[in-house]
Amino acid sequence: MALERKVFMKQLFVKESRNFLLLFIVSLYLIFLPYCIYGEESPSQKTETWFVPKIIENPEVKELDKEGKGTLYQVGELKLCVLEGSYYDMGVQHGRMLAKNIHHVFKTGYIKKALWDRGYTPEYAYAQSARMVKHIPERFLEEARGIIDGLKKVGITDISLEELLLGTTVAEILHFPPDSPPESGKGFSPDSPEVHAVSKTDLTSGPQCTNFVFWGKWTEDGRILHARNLDWSCQRDAQDDAVIFVYHPTDGVKPYMLMGWAGGLGSLTGMNAHQISVGQATLPNSNSTFDGRPCFITVRIMLEQDTLDKVVDVVLKGPEGTGWNYTIADAKTNTARCIESDPAIKNVYGPNDPKENDETKHYGLPDMIRRTNHPVSKEGLVALAKRVGPLIKPPLHIETWEQFKLVLFLFTNHNTYQRYDWLGKQFQSQDGKGPITIQTAMEWLANGPVHNPETLHSCVFDPKNLIIYASIAQNNPIVTASHCPYTKLDMKQWF
């Protein structure tokens, strides 16, 4: 009994010491917190710096190239590539018509600047990519082989299949430091400190991605609209090789589009002929692995589906690798879903969801849904803290929800929560004051804490009418996508 009591007292001492240390660290944050709170506009206030994006309503369309049944167009500010046929044939069309861009991506552009110039070794990157490639369906690998053969048609032979597939797995690899897979526990999101600033003491910095969907009471005719910013480094020339892809596979899948990049097999933003749109956002967590399907492929498979339930099932069935917040809008049922997903956690949310509640300082609203870069669930927030907590200064070591509650005020002062809360307040302030328009949605993407100086692409989907208003960041000098003109694309002519 004496021995058991000694063991118990030792365990209690360790537990209380940890709690004391956590409380001490929290007190330090409380001292310095007033110096790092984000200044933002009030919900109804438009400051002198409020940015009003422009829309190119009737873009000029020029045919640039053809290969088989595929055609490459210039549509206003954007490149649009229509691919049609078997997956191999679509790959050949992609590779031949976009050969110059693909070569730039892998040899002097994004892959070189994001990986090789920043300390990632080829041995490491190819090994981690191979873990994800195992989960890519064969039809897409056949498409990749087609891209390689398309490149060869114009004499480009120095890009291997292994190298090409990095264009589909690089997003996951870049969420972790050089030569440090998720299981190393060494870090998270180092690709762009100005975008993913999890290691900074100032927790209010570092906006990443934002999605919000609204319908019913918020829009003039009740139809659903989906606004989205993809925030990622613009310093490595990814915007130079951005392409709107339209796929017409011959296996019975209806057409769909993706806002992607030359050489990639998928992307992170798209819409299909079934009036469904999809966007995602990074979701830091402690459950990540590279032994799962890359997000580029997950989003593409989601867009192959014809109902909202089937789209959700793609994510729930997995296999998921790293963590993502998926946002899905469906014009047929006029509703939306958000999925909080990693290999261990799968939570699905609808509008005004009771699971989105004050216990975690969240709040749902009717006829809308929004997500940024954090989970809503308690288990998700603990997983977030386990991954990110040790990286901030001073470090935080969170293992339970009771511990997380002690630092909840820190979380609510981080940019990811501020974007979530700011958008909620925009909707609340607009209630009963007239419809929220496409123009309004663009302005919310371009202002307040949602604004990011490094947004690679920005868009507003009108899924019912199969229209997308799309903007790509400019380069030399860099202009963030939400401050560039939005080109109106009526996808009915391309679908």
Side-chain angles (χ1 to χ4, degrees):
M1 289 294 293
L3 179 60
E4 290 178 356
R5 183 177 180 181
K6 286 182 180 179
V7 171
F8 172 77
M9 292 301 294
K10 183 178 180 180
Q11 291 173 338
L12 181 63
F13 175 77
V14 170
K15 180 178 179 181
E16 292 302 319
S17 297
R18 286 176 177 171
N19 285 337
F20 176 79
L21 179 60
L22 182 59
L23 286 169
F24 174 73
I25 292 173
V26 167
S27 69
L28 291 179
Y29 280 115
L30 281 169
I31 293 171
F32 293 106
L33 184 64
Y35 298 98
C36 66
I37 291 181
Y38 191 98
E40 63 181 51
E41 298 92 345
S42 64
S44 59
Q45 178 185 5
K46 291 188 178 181
T47 68
E48 291 182 2
T49 59
W50 186 269
F51 186 82
V52 179
K54 296 180 180 179
I55 299 174
I56 301 174
E57 290 279 357
N58 298 294
E60 183 181 2
V61 179
K62 294 181 181 178
E63 183 178 307
L64 301 178
D65 202 354
K66 288 187 71 69
E67 173 66 28
K69 293 183 178 181
T71 310
L72 179 65
Y73 298 93
Q74 184 75 35
V75 184
E77 303 286 324
L78 312 175
K79 273 193 174 72
L80 188 146
C81 187
V82 179
L83 306 173
E84 182 175 353
S86 68
Y87 289 90
Y88 174 81
D89 289 342
M90 290 193 293
V92 172
Q93 296 159 20
H94 180 167
R96 217 284 294 157
M97 293 190 292
L98 293 168
K100 183 178 179 180
N101 291 96
I102 295 170
H103 197 265
H104 177 255
V105 167
F106 290 93
K107 297 304 180 183
T108 59
Y110 187 76
I111 294 296
K112 175 181 181 296
K113 293 180 178 181
L115 288 175
W116 318 138
D117 291 355
R118 297 177 56 250
Y120 293 85
T121 63
E123 294 79 12
Y124 168 81
Y126 289 137
Q128 305 314 313
S129 180
R131 295 168 65 181
M132 291 178 266
V133 168
K134 292 177 183 177
H135 301 282
I136 297 178
E138 177 59 30
R139 62 186 181 280
F140 301 132
L141 296 177
E142 185 66 10
E143 184 177 321
R145 289 186 277 270
I147 294 174
I148 294 295
D149 288 346
L151 291 170
K152 290 177 180 177
K153 293 184 77 168
V154 293
I156 295 177
T157 59
D158 60 344
I159 297 177
S160 68
L161 180 63
E162 182 183 39
E163 186 176 7
L164 181 79
L165 290 170
L166 276 177
T168 300
T169 59
V170 66
E172 279 82 0
I173 293 170
L174 286 172
H175 276 88
F176 299 89
D179 298 357
S180 302
E183 53 269 22
S184 71
K186 291 184 179 179
F188 187 85
S189 292
D191 177 55
S192 178
E194 63 274 22
V195 174
H196 302 288
V198 295
S199 62
K200 293 183 179 180
T201 303
D202 181 357
L203 297 181
T204 65
S205 61
Q208 296 178 36
C209 296
T210 299
N211 284 266
F212 59 95
V213 183
F214 55 102
W215 63 95
K217 64 181 286 186
W218 304 109
T219 60
E220 185 172 14
D221 57 3
R223 78 182 190 278
I224 199 164
L225 298 172
H226 178 180
R228 188 268 201 277
N229 276 351
L230 175 69
D231 300 333
W232 197 258
S233 175
C234 295
Q235 306 292 328
R236 313 190 215 291
D237 301 341
Q239 60 269 43
D240 290 347
D241 302 298
V243 182
I244 306 287
F245 287 100
V246 181
Y247 295 89
H248 288 259
T250 53
D251 61 355
V253 173
K254 283 195 173 183
Y256 54 94
M257 61 78 62
L258 286 166
M259 294 187 71
W261 298 270
L265 295 179
S267 185
L268 306 171
T269 307
M271 178 174 66
N272 68 20
H274 298 287
Q275 303 176 319
I276 294 171
S277 60
V278 177
Q280 58 70 245
T282 300
L283 183 66
N285 66 87
S286 57
N287 303 315
S288 293
T289 176
F290 288 153
D291 295 317
R293 185 175 57 208
C295 190
F296 271 41
I297 297 299
T298 297
V299 170
R300 187 165 173 184
I301 296 173
M302 291 167 79
L303 291 169
E304 292 180 331
Q305 311 308 309
D306 60 358
T307 69
L308 179 60
D309 287 343
K310 290 179 182 178
V311 175
V312 171
D313 281 345
V314 170
V315 178
L316 298 185
K317 292 177 180 177
E320 290 291 281
T322 55
W324 306 101
N325 265 335
Y326 296 97
T327 302
I328 310 154
D330 178 21
K332 293 192 303 297
T333 59
N334 216 41
T335 193
R337 295 289 182 271
C338 288
I339 311 174
E340 180 182 303
S341 176
D342 68 32
I345 297 171
K346 301 282 191 301
N347 291 311
V348 181
Y349 297 84
N352 213 19
D353 198 307
K355 299 192 296 296
E356 200 166 344
N357 57 51
D358 189 58
E359 186 177 11
T360 60
K361 301 301 179 184
H362 292 88
Y363 54 100
L365 295 169
D367 295 351
M368 69 83 63
I369 201 162
R370 66 204 188 278
R371 283 298 182 274
T372 52
N373 296 101
H374 66 269
V376 169
S377 68
K378 290 190 289 187
E379 68 267 34
L381 288 168
V382 172
L384 166 73
K386 286 181 179 179
R387 170 62 68 184
V388 177
L391 306 179
I392 61 179
K393 297 177 182 180
L396 292 174
H397 298 282
I398 305 294
E399 297 293 332
T400 68
W401 173 245
E402 293 303 313
Q403 291 176 331
F404 189 92
K405 286 196 295 186
L406 294 173
V407 297
L408 194 55
F409 71 94
L410 291 176
F411 162 68
T412 57
N413 278 286
H414 192 285
N415 178 273
T416 180
Y417 181 84
Q418 290 179 347
R419 283 177 282 140
Y420 169 92
D421 185 47
W422 186 82
L423 283 169
K425 289 174 179 174
Q426 303 311 302
F427 278 91
Q428 289 174 327
S429 69
Q430 194 70 20
D431 200 358
K433 297 180 181 179
I436 299 171
T437 65
I438 289 167
Q439 179 67 47
T440 304
M442 290 177 184
E443 292 183 25
W444 291 353
L445 291 172
N447 292 282
V450 175
H451 168 256
N452 184 347
E454 297 205 43
T455 298
L456 266 183
H457 68 233
S458 182
C459 66
V460 178
F461 290 107
D462 179 355
K464 182 177 180 179
N465 293 314
L466 297 178
I467 291 172
I468 176 176
Y469 297 82
S471 177
I472 306 293
Q474 294 178 7
N475 208 359
N476 300 318
I478 291 171
V479 180
T480 191
S482 63
H483 283 200
C484 294
Y486 287 76
T487 300
K488 181 180 179 180
L489 299 172
D490 188 339
M491 298 311 300
K492 291 187 287 296
Q493 70 182 101
W494 312 112
F495 285 168

